[in-house]
């Protein structure tokens, strides 16, 4: 009798890494927002001086939710229930009574960072010793973002970027070529491909450089040979629960004066930034949506029956192991 392959709903618990939270412009100094991340409630706030803080939403005094009535005051966040104030490290620096704040009143904090106008928060047991490289930022538009919520896992959506076989079957790409095989370097996995996509009016020829930093941050640099344009595409799964993600994609366009052959090089920068990124976002969103039917319904096989033409899925999974450092239920690998 043949043993059944080890099958699970998802690859494992939430992997360690940097996950997209919001755009920087959505959080001005003095503002606070509530978010769900890795099965927990958090507040993300920006101090008067502009520093970003990601902290537990639950006040350690008597459990009020800081996202419901909490406010930023200077460099602290203040609870709406009894006025306890916490600094960016989570220390209670004042209470509403003017007495000595209890030392054990500490708010769990996680690092947060803004990269090319996008805010990411760290999920992991300890402090991170790496962060994604956002690439050259000068000469690029800000990101335009589109998000969905769906059943899924960051490892599954990231594995997609090395699943060369599905490029043709799901996305309709032809002439898919690997220009640089997937290379792992610590938390970075990079690869380079070219492909063509037949469209009703012609054929799109693109070359893409993929930089996957952990399982929450994929940056795809797109060189479009049809229009001579350059796009930057982000694919960012944010884990909400073990098996639910908010998948956000972002599009930035290179400024027309830098994209030498782009047809919009003669239009003002603000038009190019707005119009081109809107059209490109719609195009890529439709492309990503083609994966949803698979992701929403698939299972995770620990020992997939891989074939030549699949792309470096095995290598990807070995690389991905590092993001489950302290987990007893680390995915079983082929
Ligand atoms: S519960 Fe937050 S100050 Fe009391
Ligand atoms: Fe895909």
């Amino acid at each position: 009798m043949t043993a059944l392959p080890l099958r699970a709903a998802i690859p494992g618990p939430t992997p360690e890494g940097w996950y997209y939270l919001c755009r920087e412009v959505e959080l001005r100094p003095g503002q606070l927002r509530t978010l769900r991340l890795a099965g927990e409630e958090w507040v993300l706030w920006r101090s008067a001086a502009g520093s970003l803080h990601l902290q537990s939403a639950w006040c350690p005094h008597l459990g009020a939710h800081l996202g419901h009535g909490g406010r930023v005051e200077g460099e602290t966040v203040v609870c709406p229930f009894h006025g306890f104030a916490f600094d960016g490290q989570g220390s209670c620096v004042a209470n509403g009574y003017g007495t000595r704040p209890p030392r054990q009143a500490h708010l769990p904090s996680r690092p947060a960072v803004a990269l090319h106008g996008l805010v990411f928060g760290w999920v992991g047991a300890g402090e991170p010793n790496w962060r994604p490289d956002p690439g050259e930022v000068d000469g690029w538009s800000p990101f335009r973002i589109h998000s969905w919520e769906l059943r899924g896992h960051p490892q599954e959506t990231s594995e997609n970027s090395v699943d060369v076989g599905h490029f043709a079957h799901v996305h309709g790409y032809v002439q898919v070529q690997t220009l640089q095989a997937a290379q792992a370097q610590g938390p970075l996995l990079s690869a380079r491909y070219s492909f063509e996509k037949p469209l009703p009016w012609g054929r799109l020829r693109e070359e893409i450089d993929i930089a996957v930093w952990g399982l929450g941050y994929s940056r795809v640099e797109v060189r479009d040979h049809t229009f001579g344009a350059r796009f930057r595409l982000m694919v960012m799964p944010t884990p909400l629960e073990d098996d639910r993600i908010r998948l956000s994609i972002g599009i930035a366009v290179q400024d027309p004066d830098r994209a030498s052959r782009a047809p919009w090089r003669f239009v003002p920068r603000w038009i190019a930034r707005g119009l081109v990124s809107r059209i490109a976002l719609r195009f890529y969103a439709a492309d990503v949506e083609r994966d949803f039917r698979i992701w929403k319904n698939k299972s995770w096989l620990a020992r997939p029956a891989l074939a030549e033409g699949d792309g470096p899925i095995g290598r990807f999974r070995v690389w991905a192991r590092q993001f489950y450092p302290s987990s007893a239920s680390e995915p079983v690998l082929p």
Side-chain angles (χ1 to χ4, degrees):
M1 208 171 79
T2 324
L4 284 173
L6 187 56
R7 192 179 69 223
I10 53 171
T14 297
E16 193 169 278
W18 291 95
Y19 293 102
Y20 173 66
L21 305 178
C22 66
R23 290 182 303 147
E24 218 181 342
V25 291
E26 293 173 302
L27 196 70
R28 304 273 181 207
Q31 288 185 331
L32 169 152
R33 57 193 291 156
T34 304
L35 49 93
R36 186 101 188 141
L37 180 64
E40 261 300 337
E41 292 283 298
W42 300 86
V43 285
L44 176 69
W45 56 278
R46 187 159 224 179
S47 76
S51 50
L52 290 164
H53 301 288
L54 176 62
Q55 296 183 313
S56 168
W58 306 114
C59 177
H61 176 223
L62 276 166
H65 194 301
L66 295 170
H68 294 272
R71 64 190 187 280
V72 177
E73 267 186 27
E75 300 306 296
T76 65
V77 62
V78 180
C79 178
F81 204 0
H82 311 90
F84 282 36
F86 302 89
D87 67 14
Q89 284 68 50
S91 302
C92 186
V93 292
N95 62 27
Y97 321 131
T99 59
R100 193 152 56 98
R103 203 172 303 144
Q104 70 274 25
H106 189 85
L107 202 55
S109 307
R110 296 257 176 92
V113 67
L115 305 167
H116 194 166
L118 306 177
V119 180
F120 294 85
W122 172 255
V123 171
E127 288 293 306
N129 57 11
W130 61 275
R131 66 167 63 163
D133 172 6
E136 176 67 56
V137 172
D138 277 357
W140 285 85
S141 73
F143 278 103
R144 189 176 286 272
I145 300 284
H146 186 84
S147 302
W148 305 261
E149 267 191 45
L150 65 151
R151 176 188 177 269
H153 188 277
Q155 179 154 344
E156 295 275 36
T157 53
S158 301
E159 190 170 283
N160 216 253
S161 58
V162 296
D163 184 337
V164 177
H166 96 293
F167 289 167
H169 286 273
V170 176
H171 299 286
Y173 301 164
V174 296
Q175 313 279 357
V176 179
Q177 283 178 15
T178 301
L179 303 179
Q180 182 219 295
Q183 273 175 8
Q185 231 185 323
L188 168 66
L189 188 87
S190 54
R192 195 155 165 216
Y193 305 107
S194 68
F195 58 84
E196 297 184 9
K197 183 161 174 126
L199 293 169
W201 46 264
R203 193 167 267 232
L204 218 53
R205 288 189 305 119
E206 299 198 330
E207 207 173 291
I208 57 172
D209 271 286
I210 296 174
V212 187
W213 289 88
L215 299 173
Y217 180 107
S218 295
R219 176 164 57 83
V220 185
E221 301 284 341
V222 183
R223 266 186 213 83
D224 177 276
H225 293 299
T226 310
F227 294 117
R230 286 194 61 177
F231 299 100
R232 180 170 288 168
L233 171 65
M234 300 295 304
V235 184
M236 305 173 292
T238 302
L240 305 176
E241 312 296 335
D242 278 353
D243 63 348
R244 280 202 79 70
I245 55 171
R246 192 177 65 247
L247 183 72
S248 303
I249 62 168
I251 280 282
V253 294
Q254 196 177 41
D255 282 338
D257 47 339
R258 309 229 181 177
S260 56
R261 286 200 306 111
W264 51 87
R265 64 187 181 277
F266 302 114
V267 302
R269 173 189 291 201
W270 67 272
I271 295 182
R273 284 185 161 191
L275 199 66
V276 178
S277 64
R278 185 167 302 161
I279 293 168
L281 184 63
R282 199 170 299 165
F283 176 83
Y284 285 111
D287 213 20
V288 172
E289 280 175 349
R290 290 175 164 222
D291 288 305
F292 286 6
R293 191 175 54 172
I294 306 286
W295 290 338
K296 282 182 185 169
N297 298 293
K298 84 183 289 298
S299 58
W300 192 81
L301 298 186
R303 293 182 179 81
L306 296 175
E308 196 180 334
D310 268 330
I313 290 174
R315 211 175 313 153
F316 170 88
R317 290 195 176 186
V318 171
W319 168 79
R321 287 177 85 150
Q322 65 184 300
F323 306 114
Y324 300 86
S326 55
S327 168
S329 49
E330 181 181 323
V332 183
L333 296 157

